[in-house]
Amino acid sequence: MDVLLAQTLDEALEMKAANPEALPIAGGTDVMVELNFDLRRPEVMIDICRLPELRAWGREDGAFFLGAGMTYARIMRELADLTPLAQASRTVGSPQIRNRGTVGGNLGTGSPAGDALPVLAAYDAEIVLASASRTRTLRWDEFHVGPKKTALEPEELILGARWRSVRGPGSFSKIGTRNAMVISVVGLCLVMDEDARAVRVALGSVGPTVLRASDAEAFVAEALERSGTWDEPAADLAADAMEGFAERVAAAARPIDDVRGSAAYRRHGCSVLARRALGWALASRREGIRT
Amino acid sequence: MLIRAKVNGEWREADVWPGSNLLYVLREEMELPGSKNACEQGECGSCSVWLDGELVCSCLVLAAQAQGREVRTVEGLAGTDQLHPVQRAFVEAGAVQCGFCTPGLIVAVTDLLERDPAPSEPVVREALSGNLCRCTGYVKILDAVWLAAERMREGAS
């Protein structure tokens, strides 16, 4: 095995072009488990954890760019105003894991349980990919094509994710067996888009990839229109609208039974988190908090 | 692959298989067996060390990634004839039973108290959520944290 230590993005992309089968490693919180347990023996690895281009974030022209090398600890410290993303980061592993683990790792591993992924889906993020010859972007749902399957080409590296900034409250919530070191049984991100008068809901751990609950989104946006809540945050949503929303979110899930939970429990969990997340969002609008 | 890193203040070298993790290099090549090997998947925290000042699981760091960096291990805490206040507090509070989780917990507690000298209980529990102990039930570990925090505050004033 060879380990190549890249110092800049250009250098890393050249290494990847010369060794398309090389496995990139950043925080190592997924990759090293596979190495330690002899599940994977790549011939070449490229260390990308020092690339400044990947460790960056920034805003430009109404868009936000999150570098693939941003650790969950840094997101919590530096990007606390991106509430759903900071909340999701806070639920990842333990302090030790959050100091190393990166959003790029969630993207590259492609587990539907990756905690950052429902947030990127609710933000309608595009994933930025680069090779030595070109840079391209894919929508989040074009990038993840199945459980642990991505559309990444062999010579490419993940640069990060980019999305149009959204004005409105939002949250990430997760069901697991304890408050730390837990792989989610259900994860849900809800984002309200005040300008488009839309609600976006993404689900993790309840399907082969992260899923959006499109029917539920359309249903609740219309219900909020009917009750006048978009214009007047104090106007109550119709009594049955919350229930209708929760049912439709649960219906969007495509869960399976596995060691962490049954499909039925996961579906139920979706409806519980949906009610809570919508309740929190409406409450913060009533209180005038526009995160 | 030749790995060169500053370990507990001293530049050290080891020639290892490039797929080795940092924990292996510390324990087997650098005669620093304080960090323990238990789960090898980042679940238990018994291999906790500092990498460039950040608390990490050394089993999840590819040794090559430590190239040119600073590593601080549990062995770097005590003085020549005196335990670190956190180590002393663990002994006095009875926070050590089988002792296997102890080095990782000592490192995690020290990391916390160096950043936050007077943490609340939820903050302590969160800071130690990546360190598993199968013996104590954590009550005496929390006692040790309060004792160490008090002594470190007194020592600093």
Side-chain angles (χ1 to χ4, degrees):
Chain A
M1 182 195 285
D2 272 337
V3 178
L4 309 176
L5 303 176
Q7 300 294 334
T8 66
L9 178 61
D10 285 344
E11 203 179 34
L13 292 174
E14 275 166 34
M15 288 170 175
K16 194 72 170 115
N19 306 274
E21 299 310 314
L23 179 66
I25 179 168
T29 53
D30 286 333
V31 168
M32 287 306 292
V33 177
E34 294 190 311
L35 245 62
N36 289 344
F37 284 81
D38 220 350
L39 301 172
R40 200 158 175 176
R41 279 285 173 266
E43 277 180 31
V44 182
M45 296 181 72
I46 304 176
D47 174 32
I48 55 167
C49 79
R50 300 176 206 215
L51 309 187
E53 296 90 343
L54 266 53
R55 296 164 56 87
W57 59 266
R59 292 182 174 86
E60 52 180 46
D61 301 334
F64 188 90
F65 173 78
L66 182 73
M70 282 292 291
T71 63
Y72 297 105
R74 280 188 63 203
I75 291 172
M76 289 165 64
R77 281 198 304 270
E78 299 170 32
L79 301 175
D81 55 328
L82 297 175
T83 308
L85 185 64
Q87 287 176 336
S89 300
R90 163 66 183 72
T91 73
V92 172
S94 64
Q96 287 93 327
I97 301 297
R98 295 194 290 270
N99 279 343
R100 293 288 292 164
T102 64
V103 171
N106 258 190
L107 286 166
T109 297
S111 159
D115 291 311
L117 302 181
V119 181
L120 298 183
Y123 283 158
D124 264 332
E126 51 185 26
I127 313 306
V128 188
L129 312 171
S131 67
S133 56
R134 63 167 181 170
T135 300
R136 63 172 181 143
T137 58
L138 288 176
R139 279 202 333 256
W140 63 273
D141 55 339
E142 296 169 331
F143 180 73
H144 282 131
V145 294
K148 302 202 171 179
K149 286 199 178 67
T150 73
L152 190 71
E153 296 289 340
E155 72 278 11
E156 286 179 324
L157 291 174
I158 304 166
L159 290 195
R162 189 163 55 207
W163 60 86
R164 199 173 46 78
S165 296
V166 192
R167 191 175 62 84
S171 66
F172 174 85
S173 47
K174 163 170 161 179
I175 295 177
T177 45
R178 56 181 282 232
N179 275 337
M181 289 311 303
V182 76
I183 297 173
S184 83
V185 178
V186 183
L188 182 145
C189 180
L190 181 145
V191 169
M192 287 187 85
D193 181 343
E194 300 282 354
D195 300 308
R197 297 200 167 194
V199 177
R200 308 187 203 154
V201 182
L203 301 170
S205 296
V206 294
T209 62
V210 167
L211 304 167
R212 282 278 290 270
S214 312
D215 285 351
E217 293 178 1
F219 173 85
V220 73
E222 202 187 303
L224 290 166
E225 203 66 67
R226 273 201 308 276
S227 57
T229 315
W230 284 117
D231 291 312
E232 176 43 73
D236 282 331
L237 191 63
D240 55 352
M242 181 67 94
E243 220 33 58
F245 171 66
E247 277 169 21
R248 282 167 177 79
V249 170
R254 290 159 56 199
I256 56 167
D257 293 318
D258 74 6
V259 287
R260 285 190 293 279
S262 66
Y265 178 76
R266 288 184 146 104
R267 201 178 284 285
H268 175 67
C270 288
S271 66
V272 172
L273 293 187
R275 268 192 296 270
R276 289 182 191 169
L278 183 58
W280 294 327
L282 296 178
S284 45
R285 289 178 89 244
R286 279 194 298 273
E287 289 154 21
I289 302 163
R290 306 264 166 125
T291 53
Chain B
M1 183 175 192
L2 189 68
I3 311 289
R4 190 163 181 273
K6 196 173 189 180
V7 181
N8 296 328
E10 194 185 326
W11 284 100
R12 303 276 305 266
E13 283 183 356
D15 196 6
V16 296
W17 177 63
S20 307
N21 62 47
L22 176 60
L23 175 64
Y24 173 87
V25 174
L26 293 171
R27 287 180 55 85
E28 309 297 334
E29 301 287 333
M30 296 185 172
E31 296 172 334
L32 293 168
S35 311
K36 296 290 179 267
N37 184 357
C39 76
E40 279 196 295
Q41 52 183 320
E43 294 269 349
C44 76
S46 60
C47 67
S48 298
V49 302
W50 287 274
L51 179 66
D52 279 352
E54 273 188 330
L55 183 71
V56 303
C57 291
S58 57
C59 76
L60 297 184
V61 177
L62 187 68
Q65 293 184 305
Q67 188 74 271
R69 297 195 173 201
E70 275 194 47
V71 179
R72 185 180 169 211
T73 73
V74 69
E75 286 92 342
L77 289 178
T80 41
D81 56 358
Q82 205 177 15
L83 292 178
H84 184 280
V86 173
Q87 292 172 316
R88 204 149 43 90
F90 266 66
V91 173
E92 289 175 27
V96 180
Q97 284 190 32
C98 90
F100 201 84
C101 71
T102 309
L105 272 158
I106 300 260
V107 168
V109 171
T110 306
D111 181 71
L112 169 68
L113 296 180
E114 285 178 352
R115 286 180 291 111
D116 183 355
S120 64
E121 182 165 335
V123 168
V124 174
R125 286 179 177 271
E126 173 55 35
L128 303 186
S129 62
N131 293 77
L132 297 181
C133 172
R134 306 275 72 183
C135 305
T136 63
Y138 301 100
V139 174
K140 293 196 186 292
I141 291 173
L142 289 176
D143 290 346
V145 177
W146 309 133
L147 187 59
E150 199 182 311
R151 292 214 177 123
M152 284 170 74
R153 285 197 301 269
E154 282 167 7
S157 61

